Amino acid sequence: MAEYFHVNTPLLESMSMSKLVGTTVYLKMENSQPTGSFKIRGIGHLCQKLAKESTGVVCSSGGNAGMAAAYAARKMGIPATIIIPSSTPPLVVKRLKDQGATVKCIGKVWDDANAEALRLAETEGLTYVPPFDHPLLWQGHASLIAEVAASLGSGVKPGAVLVAVGGGGLLCGVIQGLKDVGWTDVPVVAMETVGADCFNAAVKAGKLVTLDDITSEAKCLGAKTVCKKAFEYSQCSEVTIISELVTDQQALSAIEAFLDEERVLVEMACGAALAAVYSGLIQRLQGEGRLPTLLGPLLVIVCGGSSIDMEQLSNLKHKLHN
Ligand code: PLV
């Protein structure tokens, strides 16, 4: 068995994005992971630690965590059951089945699917694979910052990191990675869409908040409550997290611009992060003094995602661009 399930992804310089922001923009291309997103880093690590002796794994997911769990389970020779909510597009069901997983669609949003995954873990004795709330996931995701540090070489460090937030697992992993390489003074811009904004709501309220519903099309950002660790990071002085929102329309426009300019198709969850560049949010933060005017290189985590193809893109355009 391979030591890791994830691959070392390319770190690319984007000329067009650099021009927009006025500083070098580096793209960490997590879309090129075997399952199309960063999730395999943490989930691969967790499965190797917790599921070696397992009779099977069960994972609740908006899609990408499930893809990673199905992939890891297949490589480990154990069955995977993936519980998704009805908001997950059919193309993801097909991709999960292609990975050999059993797929069950339960409830409207991820939180509903998760309740069923926890129940199955209990009643069937399966190993529960959480999509974002576990220290082993954060440890696995942290490897992406270690790779960036190695790619940039000594003496170069990002001026800021741009990241999408769903349940907060990627954010926790990125912060852990920044701590590991001694970059705790690098601010993190944490992006969500309006309607999938549980982290922003918690930051504003000063406590964990459970959203009534997920109304954004960025379903993979659609956890109703952010994980406690992400909230704690937002409250501590050790790291700087700037929580910002974009609209679904801005996230979709970002996906389209990224496809045109970088020739890569990513899903809405990732579009939320890219929109910070394309919508001018980074410059706005500089104007407000929340990011330095002379900003060092901007590191964009291109988290990727499988919930997108040409048909889904055209569905989203139809829904959002009218
Ligand atoms: N998606 C999770 C949670 O969904 C999932 O089950 O796949 N970018 C992409 C492409 C993602 O799939 C996700 C999470 C994120 C960003 C956000 O990561 P998180 O949840 O660790 O903050 C409900």
Side-chain angles (χ1 to χ4, degrees):
M1 192 166 64
E3 205 185 336
Y4 299 116
F5 294 132
H6 69 264
V7 300
N8 189 333
T9 54
L11 185 70
L12 305 178
E13 193 181 331
S14 165
M15 294 313 287
S16 63
M17 288 173 120
S18 300
K19 233 161 96 183
L20 273 179
V21 182
T23 187
T24 308
V25 172
Y26 287 112
L27 305 171
K28 184 63 174 159
M29 301 298 281
E30 289 301 293
N31 61 291
S32 55
Q33 288 293 351
T35 56
S37 84
F38 70 96
K39 290 270 176 186
I40 190 63
R41 291 184 185 267
I43 287 181
H45 182 59
L46 181 137
C47 287
Q48 281 177 326
K49 290 276 182 205
L50 300 185
K52 277 228 165 85
E53 313 288 314
S54 173
T55 53
V57 298
V58 60
C59 175
S60 55
S61 176
N64 295 308
M67 286 294 294
Y71 180 88
R74 183 168 61 79
K75 293 284 174 189
M76 293 170 79
I78 54 175
T81 304
I82 312 301
I83 320 286
I84 52 166
S86 58
S87 55
T88 304
L91 76 105
V92 179
V93 176
K94 181 180 177 301
R95 286 179 178 169
L96 287 167
K97 287 186 176 161
D98 286 347
Q99 285 290 348
T102 301
V103 184
K104 286 189 184 168
C105 182
I106 307 277
K108 185 172 170 263
V109 299
W110 171 81
D111 300 73
D112 308 329
N114 190 47
E116 173 65 5
L118 288 167
R119 193 191 66 79
L120 275 185
E122 184 75 29
T123 55
E124 318 259 312
L126 299 171
T127 304
Y128 171 66
V129 178
F132 52 77
D133 194 3
H134 199 289
L136 289 171
L137 298 180
W138 310 331
Q139 201 182 4
H141 296 338
S143 61
L144 76 86
I145 297 293
E147 280 173 23
V148 171
S151 302
L152 289 178
S154 62
V156 188
K157 93 174 161 182
V161 185
L162 188 52
V163 73
V165 178
L170 177 59
L171 177 64
C172 290
V174 163
I175 291 173
Q176 160 128 31
L178 293 174
K179 285 172 144 191
D180 291 346
V181 301
W183 286 351
T184 46
D185 55 338
V186 176
V188 179
V189 183
M191 297 300 302
E192 296 171 286
T193 49
V194 174
D197 46 2
C198 62
F199 180 64
N200 190 262
V203 170
K204 276 186 184 147
K207 60 176 187 207
L208 284 175
V209 169
T210 299
L211 304 176
D212 290 337
D213 196 8
I214 302 300
T215 52
S216 168
E217 290 300 325
K219 299 302 177 193
C220 274
L221 300 184
K224 285 188 186 174
T225 319
V226 79
C227 69
K228 190 160 154 265
K229 185 75 179 173
F231 173 68
E232 284 170 2
Y233 277 136
S234 77
Q235 301 295 299
C236 78
S237 54
E238 199 185 357
V239 283
T240 304
I241 305 176
I242 302 170
S243 167
E244 289 290 330
L245 302 180
V246 287
T247 62
D248 276 4
Q249 284 79 7
Q250 286 173 315
L252 177 58
S253 295
I255 291 180
E256 294 174 294
F258 198 69
L259 178 58
D260 280 346
E261 290 178 11
E262 311 298 330
R263 306 157 312 280
V264 173
L265 181 59
V266 294
E267 68 170 69
M268 286 289 278
C270 185
L274 301 175
V277 170
Y278 290 121
S279 74
L281 183 96
I282 297 294
Q283 292 95 318
R284 199 192 83 208
L285 292 174
Q286 289 177 295
E288 291 169 0
R290 295 166 70 200
L291 282 176
T293 318
L294 278 176
L295 186 65
L298 179 68
L299 171 62
V300 181
I301 310 301
V302 182
C303 45
S306 284
S307 307
I308 191 80
D309 60 8
M310 291 310 281
E311 192 185 338
Q312 180 68 5
L313 180 62
S314 105
N315 291 344
L316 288 165
K317 276 162 93 162
H318 196 74
K319 258 191 195 160
L320 299 171
H321 277 347
N322 279 325

